[in-house]
Amino acid sequence: MNWKGILSVFLISLTAWEMSGQANILNASKPEDIGVKSQAQISEGDDVPLEYGYVEDRDIMWSKMVWEVIDLNERVNFPLYYPIDGTSGALGRQSLYDVLVTNIKNGNLKDIYTDSYFTERRNFGELEATLATVDTTDLGYEQVNAGEQVSEMYIDRREISSADIVEYRIRGMWYFDKRQGELKYRLLGIAPVAPDVNFMDQGIDDGSNLVELFWVWYPSARKVLHAAKAFNANNSGRPISFDHLLNARRFNAVIYKEDNVYGDREIRDYIPDNAMFQLMEAQRIKEEIRNFEQDVWKSE
């Protein structure tokens, strides 16, 4: 066997070992053991997200705050959307929306806000009016008027599920670290976006009734998102954490707003009714950010 063949066998063996170490499927004595780490795996080290480095304000030579939209209809963004059938216990993973809502309910995520400026905090009880609606049918009102208790069958309950999420909006900052000599990005917040639950089933699908359900302060959510895994299309045996996926920007997003003198107005505010020109403006802002690093070195 030549060296190329030996190397191939070694890589295949290493991959198989990593897959079994990740899912424990080859060492499981019963189905319940799949996905459960052994004591040896636990003792190897803390499974925590990679910490952000400390950045001095004086080391930030230049920065720009941008807001972007992640369209879940795009194939590259599917790992943030699927699976959409609830908790998906059989798959051992959840959609990003289910991860966020589950951890807001159980109290693991506390830094929840109404907008991207993180000025007004919310808890799950205060979010329920945004995430669900309860209505009574006409037959139910007839029972009320007759002095009877409303039957459960005449009460309509509608909750937003992961299948209803249309997009995510994120807020982050691009900055040039003069100490490191490179352009970097720091994600600050993320929000799931869905149709207004009160009008969701009325056939309105022009995008005008989309609402930001809540904003999560991303740095405090990293531990939760690191523990939750998304599907890795390149290697299903090595799922990627949502924290890694988002920090590595393994998604496609379009800028819809940047910080500016006009009160951080959106692109559609000064380029109305022209989707192509709006997209071109978003691309211009993106190129302006990307070119800053090159311009710095050219000026040296």
Side-chain angles (χ1 to χ4, degrees):
M1 182 182 294
N2 56 27
W3 283 107
K4 187 175 181 180
I6 295 174
L7 181 60
S8 299
V9 172
F10 172 75
L11 290 175
I12 292 172
S13 301
L14 180 62
T15 302
W17 178 81
E18 288 179 338
M19 290 173 63
S20 63
Q22 174 67 35
N24 203 35
I25 191 168
L26 301 183
N27 300 317
S29 58
K30 53 182 184 257
E32 291 79 5
D33 294 336
I34 297 175
V36 179
K37 290 187 176 181
S38 66
Q39 191 59 43
Q41 291 171 329
I42 295 174
S43 63
E44 283 180 357
D46 294 331
D47 189 14
V48 295
L50 184 65
E51 291 186 9
Y52 290 144
Y54 180 75
V55 181
E56 284 277 3
D57 288 341
R58 60 186 177 183
D59 290 334
I60 301 177
M61 179 179 177
W62 171 90
S63 68
K64 179 177 285 292
M65 195 74 68
V66 294
W67 288 255
E68 299 170 271
V69 58
I70 303 173
D71 188 350
L72 296 181
N73 283 320
E74 297 184 37
R75 183 176 295 275
V76 69
N77 298 329
F78 280 179
L80 297 173
Y81 181 65
Y82 291 101
I84 58 175
D85 54 346
T87 58
S88 296
L91 297 176
R93 54 188 174 88
Q94 295 176 290
S95 68
L96 177 58
Y97 176 74
D98 283 332
V99 171
L100 294 175
V101 171
T102 299
N103 285 278
I104 292 173
K105 285 182 179 179
N106 61 28
N108 289 335
L109 281 180
K110 301 182 184 297
D111 294 327
I112 309 302
Y113 297 85
T114 57
D115 57 42
S116 62
Y117 293 97
F118 312 107
T119 56
E120 191 173 352
R121 191 186 290 265
R122 286 286 185 266
N123 57 43
F124 183 74
E126 295 169 322
L127 290 175
E128 287 187 307
T130 305
L131 304 181
T133 183
V134 179
D135 196 10
T136 304
T137 64
D138 292 339
L139 292 176
Y141 282 117
E142 289 182 7
Q143 287 185 318
V144 172
N145 295 332
E148 302 174 0
Q149 183 176 357
V150 180
S151 302
E152 186 66 25
M153 62 185 297
Y154 298 138
I155 298 177
D156 289 336
R157 289 184 172 85
R158 181 68 161 91
E159 292 186 10
I160 291 179
S161 68
S162 56
D164 300 314
I165 304 303
V166 176
E167 61 192 33
Y168 284 95
R169 293 177 187 170
I170 58 175
R171 177 190 176 187
M173 187 173 81
W174 288 96
Y175 64 97
F176 188 84
D177 188 333
K178 67 180 182 181
R179 183 180 294 272
Q180 300 293 331
E182 60 181 336
L183 186 68
K184 296 183 178 180
Y185 176 78
R186 182 69 61 86
L187 181 58
L188 298 176
I190 185 168
V193 178
D196 190 327
V197 69
N198 298 295
F199 308 102
M200 186 176 294
D201 300 321
Q202 295 185 9
I204 304 174
D205 193 23
D206 58 359
S208 61
N209 66 327
L210 294 181
V211 295
E212 298 170 350
L213 303 180
F214 52 82
W215 277 88
V216 178
W217 175 249
Y218 186 80
S220 66
R222 292 192 64 211
K223 187 174 181 180
V224 165
L225 295 179
H226 176 77
K229 307 301 180 183
F231 182 74
N232 184 353
N234 296 323
N235 185 353
S236 59
R238 295 295 303 275
I240 182 174
S241 72
F242 282 111
D243 179 60
H244 185 183
L245 187 152
L246 291 166
N247 272 311
R249 293 188 62 89
R250 294 177 60 167
F251 55 81
N252 185 53
V254 176
I255 296 172
Y256 69 90
K257 183 168 69 169
E258 63 172 333
D259 54 350
N260 53 63
V261 70
Y262 303 103
D264 299 346
R265 66 178 180 179
E266 297 187 19
I267 292 176
R268 63 182 179 182
D269 292 334
Y270 60 93
I271 306 180
D273 304 324
N274 195 318
M276 178 170 290
F277 282 1
Q278 291 172 2
L279 189 60
M280 291 173 64
E281 174 66 4
Q283 188 65 26
R284 184 196 65 79
I285 297 172
K286 182 177 179 180
E287 291 298 325
E288 181 182 85
I289 295 171
R290 181 182 299 173
N291 291 337
F292 178 84
E293 186 175 20
Q294 300 297 325
D295 294 340
V296 167
W297 297 118
K298 288 179 182 179
S299 63
E300 292 294 329

